Amino acid sequence: MKQEFDVKIKGNTISVSQGTTFETIAERYRDEYDSPIMLAYFNGRYRELFKRISEDGVLEFVTFREKSGFMTYRRSVILLMLKSLHSVKSVETKNATAHVLFTMDNAYYCELFSGDTKIPVSGEMLSEIENHMRRLVKEDVPFMKHTVHVEKAKKIFTERSLPDKKRLFEYRRSSNVNIYNLDGYEDYFYGYMLPHTGLIGGFELKLHGDGFFLKMSTVDEPYGNVHEMKFRPKLFDQMLNGSKWAFTMDMATIGALNDRIVSGDMEDMILAQDAVQEREIAQIARTIAEDGSKKFILIAGPSSSGKTTFAHRLSVQLYAQGMHPHPIGLDDFFINREDMIPQPDGSLDFEDISVLDIEEFNNVCERLLAGEEVDMPTFNFLEGRREYRGKKLKMEEDDILVIEGIHGLNPRTTYRLPDENKFRVYISALTQLKVDEHNCVSTRDGRLIRRMIRDDRTRGNNAQTTLKRWDSVGSGEERHIFPYQENADVMFNSALIYELPILKPYVEPLLFAVPKDSPEYPEAKRLLKFLDYCLPYPSEAIEKNSILREFIGGSCFNV
């Protein structure tokens, strides 16, 4: 048996003894990285630092500032919190478990439950849990990983009163499950862990209502500093209400969703959620109509949130209220491409507000508000120029403009228009679904899956291209969209709790086509593994006006 292995790292080849952990090698190189090392990437696969070398290969280290390393840190903090809750249980939390419901500004919002009963959290309780977490970090306790048969895993989580984890494993194709153990506390997680608690940086528990936020470090700050989160009340209410609705409908997790598919009850659930969304859109239209002063409906939201379909459906409801809506896209007010200022790499940032001709947009809206007939522009993306094709518009008494674009809620965009004539809508796909009690489904992942399907179908961009651009899209959203979401008069959640089974058959072939030697392959592989939790469901049951049709095709609207 070979006792030494050749490992290529940073352009050099080193000899490594069999059984050496990746963490041991990382210690030799940690000063060459600008943030702590969280994971290894060896021969095209992520490896946890406690894993051992058993072959020749190419090694890279993944730091806290990279997405997969950042998520490894966050996952480890969650397990640390759950272990500490389990260890310090008081009389009132004797049978309690924490449900990790969603993220907001890089913090996790959690609530405590005993069965289906929510247990109010106190400041004293949180202090006790946090102190225990800090003690475990100081003691540098190892995260242990072992493989068990799926039936044993189901038994473990049944005894621990974690039914959603048991439900998840009912549909497990593999016969084995990887379980993490921290100081005797066992749990299942979707993703990787740190080797021991001593590597965990900053964290803090903050009371909020009956629940609490688990705050952590972020990639924009020194590792160990706790991020000062920006609490957004409108966004929080929207996400909490979505979680409550999913819980009430017994559709909060992927296991529950799979149960619906197997039992044949899926179509009723689709109809129920569609009815909820249509009721919300109708209520927005009623609010606008009853006010009587609104002339500019401004719709903004991040990529793949379904803005275009929402604008059409809102227009239908405005018609039903006796109004005459006219759709306008802010993209038609782009300046000519030749006048756009290139980025340092030579590319054009179409998400920056500087590419909008704000003065012309405000001039057109003011003239329309004054009752003038206006020649409306259309931006020719092929030629990169704004064109006028004889499309005239004049607003009558009951006419209203439905304006869609990512900068719709930025005050600069409509700075010359009277506030009393504006109604602002923020739309995003804030998924209500979780993998299980302790593993959230990322809202960004949901939008990414939507976008990959749409871009492949309508824009000629394969999944690899979409994955390559996704981080840049996210940076643009952080700069240009999210800071203004609380300016909205109303928020609309376009996520459909049933959409993952619908989208799965469309996106899996696209992800399998990502080349294994490409930088985007690890992310494609991660998404494929995530989709493996979920059963597929045919799209024939999806109505033609559904937001999903904007992505999978077959919409009755021009999207």
Short mmCIF file of all heavy atoms in Angstrom, two decimals, residues 483-512:
data_model
loop_
_atom_site.label_atom_id
_atom_site.label_comp_id
_atom_site.label_asym_id
_atom_site.label_seq_id
_atom_site.Cartn_x
_atom_site.Cartn_y
_atom_site.Cartn_z
N PRO A 483 -31.66 47.66 -0.91
CA PRO A 483 -31.70 48.84 -0.03
C PRO A 483 -33.02 49.60 -0.07
O PRO A 483 -33.32 50.37 0.84
CB PRO A 483 -30.55 49.71 -0.55
CG PRO A 483 -29.62 48.77 -1.22
CD PRO A 483 -30.51 47.74 -1.85
N TYR A 484 -33.83 49.37 -1.12
CA TYR A 484 -35.06 50.16 -1.29
C TYR A 484 -36.34 49.34 -1.07
O TYR A 484 -37.44 49.87 -1.26
CB TYR A 484 -35.08 50.78 -2.69
CG TYR A 484 -33.84 51.57 -2.99
CD1 TYR A 484 -32.87 51.08 -3.85
CD2 TYR A 484 -33.61 52.81 -2.38
CE1 TYR A 484 -31.70 51.79 -4.10
CE2 TYR A 484 -32.46 53.53 -2.63
CZ TYR A 484 -31.50 53.02 -3.49
OH TYR A 484 -30.35 53.74 -3.74
N GLN A 485 -36.20 48.07 -0.68
CA GLN A 485 -37.39 47.23 -0.60
C GLN A 485 -38.37 47.70 0.47
O GLN A 485 -39.60 47.55 0.32
CB GLN A 485 -37.00 45.77 -0.37
CG GLN A 485 -36.16 45.50 0.86
CD GLN A 485 -35.60 44.09 0.87
OE1 GLN A 485 -35.92 43.26 0.04
NE2 GLN A 485 -34.73 43.81 1.83
N GLU A 486 -37.87 48.30 1.55
CA GLU A 486 -38.76 48.78 2.60
C GLU A 486 -39.51 50.05 2.19
O GLU A 486 -40.41 50.50 2.91
CB GLU A 486 -37.98 49.01 3.89
CG GLU A 486 -37.51 47.74 4.58
CD GLU A 486 -38.65 46.90 5.16
OE1 GLU A 486 -39.54 47.49 5.81
OE2 GLU A 486 -38.65 45.67 4.97
N ASN A 487 -39.15 50.64 1.03
CA ASN A 487 -39.90 51.78 0.51
C ASN A 487 -41.26 51.37 -0.04
O ASN A 487 -42.10 52.23 -0.34
CB ASN A 487 -39.12 52.48 -0.62
CG ASN A 487 -37.85 53.14 -0.13
OD1 ASN A 487 -37.65 53.30 1.07
ND2 ASN A 487 -36.98 53.54 -1.05
N ALA A 488 -41.48 50.09 -0.21
CA ALA A 488 -42.70 49.59 -0.85
C ALA A 488 -43.93 49.88 -0.01
O ALA A 488 -43.89 49.81 1.22
CB ALA A 488 -42.59 48.10 -1.11
N ASP A 489 -45.04 50.17 -0.70
CA ASP A 489 -46.34 50.27 -0.03
C ASP A 489 -46.87 48.88 0.28
O ASP A 489 -47.62 48.70 1.24
CB ASP A 489 -47.33 51.02 -0.92
CG ASP A 489 -46.92 52.46 -1.14
OD1 ASP A 489 -46.90 53.23 -0.15
OD2 ASP A 489 -46.58 52.81 -2.29
N VAL A 490 -46.48 47.90 -0.53
CA VAL A 490 -46.92 46.53 -0.32
C VAL A 490 -45.85 45.60 -0.86
O VAL A 490 -45.14 45.93 -1.82
CB VAL A 490 -48.28 46.27 -1.01
CG1 VAL A 490 -48.17 46.34 -2.52
CG2 VAL A 490 -48.85 44.91 -0.60
N MET A 491 -45.70 44.44 -0.21
CA MET A 491 -44.80 43.40 -0.70
C MET A 491 -45.62 42.22 -1.18
O MET A 491 -46.65 41.88 -0.59
CB MET A 491 -43.84 42.95 0.41
CG MET A 491 -42.76 43.95 0.73
SD MET A 491 -41.50 43.23 1.81
CE MET A 491 -40.31 44.58 1.85
N PHE A 492 -45.10 41.59 -2.24
CA PHE A 492 -45.78 40.41 -2.78
C PHE A 492 -44.77 39.28 -2.89
O PHE A 492 -43.69 39.45 -3.46
CB PHE A 492 -46.37 40.71 -4.16
CG PHE A 492 -47.06 39.52 -4.78
CD1 PHE A 492 -48.34 39.17 -4.38
CD2 PHE A 492 -46.42 38.75 -5.75
CE1 PHE A 492 -48.98 38.06 -4.94
CE2 PHE A 492 -47.04 37.66 -6.32
CZ PHE A 492 -48.33 37.31 -5.91
N ASN A 493 -45.12 38.13 -2.33
CA ASN A 493 -44.26 36.96 -2.38
C ASN A 493 -44.68 36.08 -3.56
O ASN A 493 -45.77 35.51 -3.56
CB ASN A 493 -44.36 36.17 -1.07
CG ASN A 493 -43.39 35.01 -1.02
OD1 ASN A 493 -42.61 34.79 -1.93
ND2 ASN A 493 -43.42 34.26 0.08
N SER A 494 -43.79 35.97 -4.55
CA SER A 494 -44.12 35.21 -5.76
C SER A 494 -43.74 33.74 -5.66
O SER A 494 -43.99 32.97 -6.59
CB SER A 494 -43.43 35.83 -6.98
OG SER A 494 -42.03 35.60 -6.93
N ALA A 495 -43.11 33.33 -4.55
CA ALA A 495 -42.72 31.92 -4.40
C ALA A 495 -43.96 31.04 -4.28
O ALA A 495 -44.93 31.40 -3.61
CB ALA A 495 -41.83 31.74 -3.18
N LEU A 496 -43.91 29.91 -4.92
CA LEU A 496 -44.98 28.93 -4.84
C LEU A 496 -44.43 27.70 -4.13
O LEU A 496 -43.41 27.15 -4.54
CB LEU A 496 -45.47 28.56 -6.24
CG LEU A 496 -46.12 29.73 -6.99
CD1 LEU A 496 -46.06 29.51 -8.50
CD2 LEU A 496 -47.55 29.93 -6.53
N ILE A 497 -45.09 27.30 -3.08
CA ILE A 497 -44.52 26.26 -2.24
C ILE A 497 -44.37 24.93 -2.99
O ILE A 497 -43.56 24.09 -2.62
CB ILE A 497 -45.38 26.08 -0.96
CG1 ILE A 497 -44.52 25.46 0.15
CG2 ILE A 497 -46.63 25.27 -1.23
CD1 ILE A 497 -45.07 25.65 1.53
N TYR A 498 -45.09 24.79 -4.08
CA TYR A 498 -45.05 23.54 -4.85
C TYR A 498 -44.10 23.61 -6.03
O TYR A 498 -43.99 22.66 -6.82
CB TYR A 498 -46.46 23.19 -5.36
CG TYR A 498 -47.08 24.25 -6.24
CD1 TYR A 498 -46.70 24.38 -7.58
CD2 TYR A 498 -48.05 25.11 -5.76
CE1 TYR A 498 -47.26 25.34 -8.40
CE2 TYR A 498 -48.62 26.08 -6.56
CZ TYR A 498 -48.22 26.19 -7.89
OH TYR A 498 -48.77 27.16 -8.69
N GLU A 499 -43.37 24.71 -6.23
CA GLU A 499 -42.67 24.90 -7.50
C GLU A 499 -41.45 24.00 -7.69
O GLU A 499 -41.08 23.68 -8.82
CB GLU A 499 -42.28 26.37 -7.71
CG GLU A 499 -41.22 26.93 -6.79
CD GLU A 499 -40.98 28.41 -7.10
OE1 GLU A 499 -41.80 29.25 -6.70
OE2 GLU A 499 -39.97 28.70 -7.77
N LEU A 500 -40.80 23.58 -6.61
CA LEU A 500 -39.59 22.77 -6.77
C LEU A 500 -39.86 21.46 -7.52
O LEU A 500 -39.11 21.11 -8.44
CB LEU A 500 -38.98 22.50 -5.39
CG LEU A 500 -37.50 22.10 -5.37
CD1 LEU A 500 -36.64 23.19 -6.00
CD2 LEU A 500 -37.05 21.83 -3.94
N PRO A 501 -40.92 20.70 -7.19
CA PRO A 501 -41.21 19.48 -7.97
C PRO A 501 -41.53 19.77 -9.43
O PRO A 501 -41.24 18.94 -10.30
CB PRO A 501 -42.43 18.88 -7.26
CG PRO A 501 -42.41 19.46 -5.89
CD PRO A 501 -41.85 20.83 -6.05
N ILE A 502 -42.12 20.93 -9.71
CA ILE A 502 -42.44 21.30 -11.09
C ILE A 502 -41.18 21.62 -11.87
O ILE A 502 -41.00 21.22 -13.03
CB ILE A 502 -43.40 22.51 -11.12
CG1 ILE A 502 -44.66 22.24 -10.29
CG2 ILE A 502 -43.74 22.90 -12.56
CD1 ILE A 502 -45.55 21.18 -10.84
N LEU A 503 -40.27 22.38 -11.24
CA LEU A 503 -39.07 22.85 -11.92
C LEU A 503 -38.00 21.77 -12.06
O LEU A 503 -37.15 21.84 -12.95
CB LEU A 503 -38.48 24.05 -11.17
CG LEU A 503 -39.38 25.29 -11.06
CD1 LEU A 503 -38.68 26.37 -10.25
CD2 LEU A 503 -39.76 25.81 -12.44
N LYS A 504 -38.05 20.78 -11.19
CA LYS A 504 -36.99 19.75 -11.17
C LYS A 504 -36.77 19.09 -12.53
O LYS A 504 -35.61 19.00 -12.99
CB LYS A 504 -37.32 18.70 -10.10
CG LYS A 504 -36.32 17.55 -10.05
CD LYS A 504 -36.59 16.57 -8.92
CE LYS A 504 -35.62 15.41 -8.97
NZ LYS A 504 -35.71 14.55 -7.78
N PRO A 505 -37.79 18.60 -13.24
CA PRO A 505 -37.52 17.93 -14.52
C PRO A 505 -36.95 18.87 -15.58
O PRO A 505 -36.29 18.41 -16.51
CB PRO A 505 -38.91 17.42 -14.95
CG PRO A 505 -39.72 17.39 -13.69
CD PRO A 505 -39.21 18.52 -12.87
N TYR A 506 -37.20 20.18 -15.44
CA TYR A 506 -36.68 21.15 -16.41
C TYR A 506 -35.21 21.48 -16.16
O TYR A 506 -34.43 21.63 -17.09
CB TYR A 506 -37.49 22.46 -16.35
CG TYR A 506 -38.89 22.35 -16.87
CD1 TYR A 506 -39.93 21.99 -16.03
CD2 TYR A 506 -39.19 22.62 -18.21
CE1 TYR A 506 -41.24 21.89 -16.50
CE2 TYR A 506 -40.48 22.54 -18.69
CZ TYR A 506 -41.51 22.16 -17.83
OH TYR A 506 -42.79 22.07 -18.31
N VAL A 507 -34.84 21.59 -14.89
CA VAL A 507 -33.50 22.10 -14.58
C VAL A 507 -32.45 21.00 -14.45
O VAL A 507 -31.27 21.24 -14.70
CB VAL A 507 -33.54 22.97 -13.29
CG1 VAL A 507 -33.64 22.10 -12.03
CG2 VAL A 507 -32.33 23.89 -13.24
N GLU A 508 -32.85 19.78 -14.07
CA GLU A 508 -31.85 18.73 -13.89
C GLU A 508 -31.02 18.46 -15.15
O GLU A 508 -29.78 18.38 -15.06
CB GLU A 508 -32.51 17.45 -13.38
CG GLU A 508 -32.75 17.45 -11.88
CD GLU A 508 -33.22 16.10 -11.35
OE1 GLU A 508 -33.89 15.37 -12.11
OE2 GLU A 508 -32.93 15.80 -10.19
N PRO A 509 -31.63 18.32 -16.33
CA PRO A 509 -30.80 18.09 -17.52
C PRO A 509 -29.82 19.24 -17.79
O PRO A 509 -28.70 19.01 -18.27
CB PRO A 509 -31.82 17.97 -18.66
CG PRO A 509 -33.10 17.57 -17.99
CD PRO A 509 -33.06 18.26 -16.65
N LEU A 510 -30.23 20.46 -17.47
CA LEU A 510 -29.35 21.62 -17.67
C LEU A 510 -28.14 21.56 -16.74
O LEU A 510 -27.02 21.88 -17.15
CB LEU A 510 -30.12 22.92 -17.44
CG LEU A 510 -31.45 23.09 -18.19
CD1 LEU A 510 -32.08 24.44 -17.87
CD2 LEU A 510 -31.22 22.94 -19.70
N LEU A 511 -28.37 21.14 -15.51
CA LEU A 511 -27.28 21.05 -14.54
C LEU A 511 -26.35 19.90 -14.86
O LEU A 511 -25.13 20.01 -14.70
CB LEU A 511 -27.86 20.89 -13.13
CG LEU A 511 -28.56 22.12 -12.56
CD1 LEU A 511 -29.34 21.76 -11.31
CD2 LEU A 511 -27.55 23.22 -12.26
N PHE A 512 -26.90 18.78 -15.32
CA PHE A 512 -26.05 17.65 -15.70
C PHE A 512 -25.15 18.00 -16.89
O PHE A 512 -24.09 17.38 -17.08
CB PHE A 512 -26.91 16.43 -16.05
CG PHE A 512 -27.34 15.63 -14.85
CD1 PHE A 512 -28.68 15.49 -14.52
CD2 PHE A 512 -26.39 15.00 -14.05
CE1 PHE A 512 -29.08 14.75 -13.42
CE2 PHE A 512 -26.78 14.25 -12.94
CZ PHE A 512 -28.12 14.13 -12.62
#
